[in-house]
Amino acid sequence: MPAKLSVNLNAVAMLRNRRDLPWPSVTGLGRIALAAGAHGLTVHPRPDERHTRYSDLPEIRALIDDEFPGAEFNIEGYPTEDFLALVEKNQPEQVTLVPDDPAQATSDHGWNFVAQAAFLTPIVKRLKKGGFRVSLFSDADPDAVSAARDTGADRIELYTGPYGGCHSYSAKAAKELERLGKTADAAFAAGLGVNAGHDLTVKNLPPLAKRIPALAEVSIGHGLTADALEYGMAGTVGRFLKACGW
Ligand code: PXP
């Protein structure tokens, strides 16, 4: 089975937050994504709510429950007490724990599973007890996988930023891809599932999916939103020209 696609709505939320207006609608774009066949929606609420707002989460939960009951809600973020309370309130199918500082523009590294084992293990236990699938954001490092497994998590999410940052399928991209592949191999051998995310595009996704055929899910925001703008621009200009009277 190919990897499932979870559409990350943070870029849409960031655009919405430029103005005190309700568009683009985060839930509305989520509905379009799910109606088009996406398997789930991802949000990454941060304490300053500069992207997804806390108030978006119950709306997305209701959208999935009422209209797309087979889809999954994935909430990702740094596990503060506030974040864990948000998760428990909004009941996602999956929680992805990310070691991002609140001031960081975007996630740019995975956990140090050995150094942060004592922090992560009880949190994973609490989330698992709550019935949530837990995934941990992970650098491409095959040696780190057994410590990730020891936290009790179900999956790792491979941080694909260094691969996606190569822009084209160069020798460097091939090297990054192989590191991701080796990490996935180690994760499968340890009994973990594997997700992936960051800077994935329609161009760099096929080689990743080929190298990691058992990839469970990709979570994509920036590249997908950029494509939605590019491929939706012509039709939208037509609608506005019509509104002008042309
Ligand atoms: N996975 C995690 C943990 C992230 O923080 C992000 C960015 O919010 C993504 C996936 C999606 O990355 P991108 O927006 O580059 O597709």
Side-chain angles (χ1 to χ4, degrees):
M1 188 169 44
K4 292 190 170 175
L5 172 64
S6 185
V7 172
N8 184 315
L9 293 168
N10 262 42
V12 174
M14 198 166 128
L15 204 55
R16 187 244 351 243
N17 294 355
R18 292 180 69 232
R19 302 265 166 95
D20 191 19
L21 291 168
W23 65 81
S25 160
V26 171
T27 311
L29 268 298
R31 178 180 289 108
I32 293 171
L34 294 176
H39 303 93
L41 300 175
T42 292
V43 294
H44 191 142
R46 290 189 163 85
D48 60 6
E49 300 187 83
R50 67 182 186 274
H51 303 136
T52 323
R53 295 181 188 136
Y54 290 3
S55 59
D56 292 323
L57 276 56
E59 283 188 26
I60 296 170
R61 179 71 270 167
L63 170 72
I64 292 175
D65 288 346
D66 298 346
E67 300 177 40
F68 302 93
E72 287 202 355
F73 192 15
N74 175 42
I75 301 183
E76 57 183 38
Y78 185 85
T80 58
E81 189 51 44
D82 277 358
F83 175 84
L84 295 171
L86 204 60
V87 163
E88 284 158 355
K89 180 167 170 243
N90 291 283
Q91 295 286 306
E93 279 70 27
Q94 178 173 271
V95 185
T96 301
L97 302 181
V98 183
D100 63 341
D101 182 275
Q104 243 172 266
T106 183
S107 328
D108 62 4
H109 61 278
W111 292 98
N112 180 334
F113 295 112
V114 173
Q116 288 166 307
F119 173 66
L120 282 172
T121 305
I123 290 170
V124 172
K125 195 170 172 193
R126 169 172 165 183
L127 290 169
K128 296 275 298 166
K129 210 169 154 201
F132 308 107
R133 184 197 307 130
V134 180
S135 180
L136 301 178
F137 205 41
S138 175
D139 291 319
D141 177 3
D143 297 333
V145 164
S146 69
R149 191 258 333 270
D150 292 347
T151 64
D154 303 285
R155 295 185 186 178
I156 56 168
E157 179 183 323
L158 291 170
Y159 169 51
T160 49
Y163 168 63
C166 293
H167 302 292
S168 62
Y169 198 63
S170 59
K172 184 164 184 299
K175 205 171 141 210
E176 295 292 349
L177 181 59
E178 196 40 34
R179 270 182 80 74
L180 290 165
K182 288 215 164 77
T183 309
D185 293 342
F188 293 131
L192 289 162
V194 177
N195 296 339
H198 229 279
D199 297 324
L200 294 176
T201 64
V202 289
K203 218 165 154 190
N204 62 29
L205 198 42
L208 181 75
K210 189 167 172 219
R211 176 60 183 84
I212 311 174
L215 192 61
E217 180 184 285
V218 289
S219 143
I220 310 183
H222 188 79
L224 189 146
T225 308
D227 271 19
L229 289 173
E230 187 172 338
Y231 293 97
M233 185 59 90
T236 303
V237 168
R239 278 163 47 83
F240 273 78
L241 282 171
K242 199 169 167 214
C244 290
W246 290 98

